[in-house]
Amino acid sequence: LAVDPKIEAMPYWPSDVSPEDWSFFFGSAPGTGASHEVVDGPFSRWPITKGVDPVAEYSSHMTNTDTLGWVLPESGSWRSQANSLTTDFTTRFGAPRPYPSQDVWKCSALMGSIVEWMACIEGGALTDHTIISEEKYHFAQHISIGFFVGDLSQPTRDEGDMFDAATSPNDPVFMFHHVNMDRSRFWHAQTNREDADRYYGYPLKSVDAPLFLPPSFLASTETQWPGLGLKDVLSDPWPFTFAELGLEGGDKPMTAADVLCHLSPRNAPYTYDDFRNCGGNWKSCHSFSKKCANVNCGPPPECPKWVKIGIPEGEC
């Protein structure tokens, strides 16, 4: 959209596409270069920035840089300190994980707050530990595509770019994967549109980390993630501004509340193809919670079992 706003739709990678289609769009995984670099496909030899400290380079655009906790590793690559990888291009040690098509829509069709949706896409379960899917819709692909070589118990190892949590955008598929997470959020917002005036149940104060990741994946003993409250500025050291999203408000930084409001299905300056199939009007598109999906609006051809918190499963 930043390149051509007339497109009005966001490109995404649906996690249930075939491996052949995936490699056509994103190149090989694992990478077929000498050190598993990606040397084929549209993003062949996608360069990794080296020799420039981003905190120092862009400090004039940032605030609270001392809170970032990120230091350029000795290799000079834009990768985390724990990542000893020194390749010049995007590197993949793993492959995309096939995500069951019948599970793709479970989080999107969830009747419940956005916190439950986050718990679903990250951990495959609700906050009360009810299992929704054995797969973790978001971070499983980071681990599977990037993967690593070495020992995770050691201070450093070679981590594929999608695996490296600090700099996973080094792999272009990161963008398409995260846009797909936003597509899921769109449908969740559509399912729960009656809660739009409550910001879909987003917590006012900082949230508990275990709601988003299983405890075994937490890197510290902290129980709260600061900066994620409804009124908190997102990405505080280098915030998103209203102007950057083409909205009125100039350089004012955006809070979580601002994003949920302006990037809701009603207000966002973009849409998704399956939303367009619903006529482009969120009010005219059926609610997942009220009836089964039809072939023109929602996930064809199979009808998933909708998950409804506190209410028996709907019939299909």
Side-chain angles (χ1 to χ4, degrees), residues 135-254:
E135 298 290 342
K136 282 65 175 175
Y137 199 21
H138 169 231
F139 77 87
Q141 298 293 1
H142 281 269
I143 295 172
S144 182
I145 294 171
F147 212 60
F148 64 94
V149 174
D151 187 346
L152 288 178
S153 67
Q154 298 301 311
T156 62
R157 60 255 150 207
D158 285 357
E159 297 179 0
D161 286 299
M162 271 287 276
F163 187 96
D164 190 334
T167 56
S168 49
N170 279 340
D171 191 327
V173 77
F174 172 96
M175 306 301 176
F176 299 92
H177 179 47
H178 279 252
V179 169
N180 195 39
M181 298 302 100
D182 183 66
R183 183 174 69 110
S184 177
R185 180 192 64 85
F186 249 54
W187 278 111
H188 178 266
Q190 169 67 14
T191 304
N192 296 273
R193 59 183 180 273
E194 293 84 359
D195 294 329
D197 60 345
R198 299 192 306 110
Y199 296 96
Y200 310 101
Y202 195 97
L204 182 63
K205 298 182 179 180
S206 287
V207 295
D208 293 328
L211 296 182
F212 298 86
L213 291 175
S216 60
F217 281 87
L218 298 179
S220 70
T221 58
E222 295 292 331
T223 58
Q224 295 285 320
W225 283 2
L228 290 181
L230 186 65
K231 296 183 179 181
D232 292 337
V233 172
L234 293 179
S235 185
D236 183 35
W238 196 344
F240 301 96
T241 68
F242 279 75
E244 286 173 334
L245 271 68
L247 303 170
E248 295 183 3
D251 292 333
K252 178 184 176 183
M254 300 190 75

Side-chain angles (χ1 to χ4, degrees), residues 230-308:
L230 186 65
K231 296 183 179 181
D232 292 337
V233 172
L234 293 179
S235 185
D236 183 35
W238 196 344
F240 301 96
T241 68
F242 279 75
E244 286 173 334
L245 271 68
L247 303 170
E248 295 183 3
D251 292 333
K252 178 184 176 183
M254 300 190 75
T255 65
D258 293 327
V259 170
L260 289 170
C261 175
H262 292 284
L263 299 186
S264 69
R266 283 184 287 184
N267 301 327
Y270 61 88
T271 188
Y272 292 98
D273 56 352
D274 43 13
F275 258 71
R276 182 57 60 90
N277 290 338
C278 293
N281 184 339
W282 77 280
K283 293 181 180 179
S284 70
C285 190
H286 77 274
S287 169
F288 277 135
S289 64
K290 293 181 179 177
K291 62 179 180 179
C292 300
N294 61 57
V295 295
N296 295 317
C297 180
E302 294 183 4
C303 188
K305 296 179 179 178
W306 307 128
V307 178
K308 210 167 185 179

Side-chain angles (χ1 to χ4, degrees), residues 2-139:
V3 176
D4 186 357
K6 295 191 297 296
I7 295 174
E8 297 182 346
M10 294 284 274
Y12 60 90
W13 160 46
S15 300
D16 57 343
V17 300
S18 69
E20 294 77 15
D21 288 340
W22 198 92
S23 60
F24 175 81
F25 287 108
F26 303 114
S28 298
T32 53
S35 299
H36 296 286
E37 304 98 320
V38 178
V39 294
D40 62 340
F43 301 105
S44 172
R45 302 181 184 276
W46 194 261
I48 304 299
T49 301
K50 292 188 174 184
V52 178
D53 187 333
V55 176
E57 181 75 9
Y58 299 107
S59 59
S60 62
H61 301 279
M62 304 170 72
T63 60
N64 303 328
T65 55
D66 57 330
T67 67
L68 285 175
W70 189 87
V71 179
L72 190 70
E74 292 183 4
S75 67
S77 297
W78 278 21
R79 293 175 170 126
S80 67
Q81 286 185 297
N83 191 353
S84 53
L85 194 66
T86 60
T87 53
D88 293 330
F89 310 116
T90 294
T91 301
R92 299 172 185 151
F93 293 114
R97 187 179 182 87
Y99 196 87
S101 58
Q102 67 271 20
D103 285 1
V104 166
W105 290 89
K106 287 184 177 180
C107 299
S108 306
L110 192 68
M111 287 295 292
S113 74
I114 194 170
V115 174
E116 297 288 358
W117 172 79
M118 293 185 212
C120 184
I121 66 164
E122 294 292 359
L126 304 182
T127 56
D128 65 359
H129 306 298
T130 299
I131 300 298
I132 302 299
S133 171
E134 294 300 325
E135 298 290 342
K136 282 65 175 175
Y137 199 21
H138 169 231
F139 77 87

